[in-house]
Amino acid sequence: MTETAPKPAGGPLARKAAMLCQAEGFHRYLDQARRARHGIDTNVMPDGTHKEEDAVDFIRTACGVKSRAEIDHEPRAAHMLRRIITNYRRWQSNQVRASS
């Protein structure tokens, strides 16, 4: 009988990724980032287009993992998640300044 390796347990980075994916602000960040990157008009892709599952797919793809739990065990994935969080926080700060 062959043994399969146990799935890695998620740690603090996986939990951060999960919370990020649930945040409506992160969904708007993804909307705006995609529009900017691809030159899409807000009439075609309004805020609210991205949902939690889209955010999960984005994080897994960007981090190069099949499961967010792997992020804590893959240095490159951890680095990418930290970059995503940094970029999102920068975007949040700009949103606050723009509304002031």
Side-chain angles (χ1 to χ4, degrees), residues 31 34-35 38-49:
D31 292 336
R34 178 161 286 173
R35 284 196 305 261
H38 298 289
I40 300 171
D41 190 78
T42 55
N43 294 328
V44 176
M45 180 184 287
D47 283 345
T49 300

Side-chain angles (χ1 to χ4, degrees), residues 26-64:
F26 187 66
H27 304 165
R28 283 191 306 278
Y29 166 73
L30 293 176
D31 292 336
Q32 291 183 17
R34 178 161 286 173
R35 284 196 305 261
R37 189 175 309 115
H38 298 289
I40 300 171
D41 190 78
T42 55
N43 294 328
V44 176
M45 180 184 287
D47 283 345
T49 300
H50 285 84
K51 302 295 181 198
E52 183 174 351
E53 189 57 38
D54 301 311
V56 171
D57 290 342
F58 171 79
I59 294 289
R60 287 191 307 228
T61 300
C63 293

